[in-house]
Amino acid sequence: EADIYQTPRYLVIGTGKKITLECSQTMGHDKMYWYQQDPGMELHLIHYSYGVNSTEKGDLSSESTVSRIRTEHFPLTLESARPSHTSQYLCASSDRSGPTDTQYFGPGTRLTVL
Amino acid sequence: DQQVKQNSPSLSVQEGRISILNCDYTNSMFDYFLWYKKYPAEGPTFLISISSIKDKNEDGRFTVFLNKSAKHLSLHIVPSQPGDSAVYFCAARGSNYKLTFGKGTLLTVNP
C-alpha cells in the first residue's frame, strides 16, 4: 500500500484565484509526478521531478508550476485559475532504485473553476 | 497520435466469469507495461505489470499477457467479482521512465 497524500480532495474556486494543490509521500521516493485527467480520457503527464530541486515539464502543456524543495513534497500551483483548468489532478511517486519503477498514485484533487 | 489504445470503452461480465481487457500500443521502444484500476473519485491503484522480455505474468486472479509481435497486451481476471467493477488503465513505460496511458475500459461485473 502506497503512502501518498493529496489535499484538498475537492476544490471549487472562482476564476482568477491562485491555488496550490498539495502532494506528499512518506515512502522516500525520489521521483514524483503530476498528471491531469478528464473524464473518459487518458492520464496526461504535466510535470515530473527526479529529485530535490529537479523539475521538468511533461508531455501535456500546462500553465501550472511545481516545486520540489523537499523529497516528500511536490506542490502544484496555478497562479490564476480559469475554467479550462477544471480537471482531476493526480500525483504519483516511484522509487528509482526499484527494478520496476512502479508509480503509485494519490487519491487525486478534483478541481472546478467557475 | 495515441500510442496506447484501449479500444473498448466498456465491458460487462457476469460474476464468476473471465474478464478480458485489451490494450494495443504502437511504440516498440516501450519496455514495461502496467495495469491500473481506478474507482470514481480515487487515484489509480497499481494491479500488475509485465516486462517486455516476458509474455506472461500472473498474480492471483490477475494475469497479463504480452504479444510483442502484435504490440498487444491483455489483462485476464478470473473469476470476476463485483468488487472488480472499475475503470482499468493500461500504461506503457518509455524513455525517462515516463508512462503513457490508454483511455481506460470501464469493467462492470454483474452479480
Side-chain angles (χ1 to χ4, degrees):
Chain A
E1 191 74 20
D3 295 323
I4 181 164
Y5 309 98
Q6 290 186 246
T7 58
R9 292 292 310 277
Y10 302 91
L11 180 61
V12 180
I13 203 162
T15 297
K17 299 290 186 183
K18 177 180 177 178
I19 60 168
T20 297
L21 308 183
E22 301 288 349
C23 176
S24 297
Q25 49 96 6
T26 58
M27 299 168 285
H29 286 172
D30 47 7
K31 290 182 182 173
M32 296 189 74
Y33 312 81
W34 276 104
Y35 291 86
Q36 185 175 338
Q37 192 213 2
D38 294 319
M41 300 298 289
E42 60 266 59
L43 282 69
H44 288 289
L45 181 67
I46 52 175
H47 297 284
Y48 61 100
S49 167
Y50 285 168
V52 171
N53 294 326
S54 152
T55 61
E56 302 286 343
K57 288 196 176 292
D59 301 321
L60 181 68
S61 175
S62 173
E63 294 166 346
S64 58
T65 58
V66 292
S67 62
R68 189 90 184 274
I69 299 173
R70 302 196 318 264
T71 298
E72 62 272 19
H73 195 214
F74 191 40
L76 179 146
T77 298
L78 273 166
E79 290 292 334
S80 179
R82 294 207 300 267
S84 61
H85 296 138
T86 295
S87 189
Q88 184 177 38
Y89 292 84
L90 294 158
C91 181
S93 71
S94 67
D95 182 1
R96 177 167 50 186
S97 64
T100 62
D101 203 41
T102 300
Q103 293 184 23
Y104 296 95
F105 284 83
T109 294
R110 170 71 64 186
L111 173 65
T112 302
V113 184
L114 303 176
Chain B
D1 174 31
Q2 211 179 345
Q3 296 189 67
V4 177
K5 294 180 183 178
Q6 295 178 257
N7 291 318
S8 298
S10 62
L11 174 69
S12 186
V13 170
Q14 209 61 29
E15 181 178 5
R17 297 292 190 95
I18 185 171
S19 296
I20 300 177
L21 299 132
N22 294 303
C23 179
D24 297 295
Y25 63 95
T26 57
N27 188 344
S28 58
M29 299 303 291
F30 288 143
D31 66 347
Y32 218 83
F33 302 89
L34 305 91
W35 283 95
Y36 286 86
K37 173 182 177 181
K38 187 178 186 296
Y39 293 117
E42 292 186 16
T45 302
F46 170 70
L47 266 180
I48 191 169
S49 61
I50 188 167
S51 165
S52 60
I53 62 173
K54 296 192 173 183
D55 55 18
K56 178 183 174 181
N57 188 27
E58 190 172 352
D59 183 2
R61 296 187 297 116
F62 302 93
T63 303
V64 56
F65 295 93
L66 175 62
N67 183 333
K68 278 190 71 176
S69 59
K71 293 191 177 70
H72 176 84
L73 65 155
S74 60
L75 174 68
H76 293 212
I77 306 172
V78 56
S80 301
Q81 299 171 355
D84 295 330
S85 298
V87 177
Y88 288 78
F89 288 96
C90 169
R93 189 177 76 180
S95 61
N96 292 328
Y97 292 88
K98 291 191 286 183
L99 293 182
T100 300
F101 285 82
K103 290 186 178 182
T105 297
L106 173 63
L107 173 66
T108 303
V109 180
N110 301 302

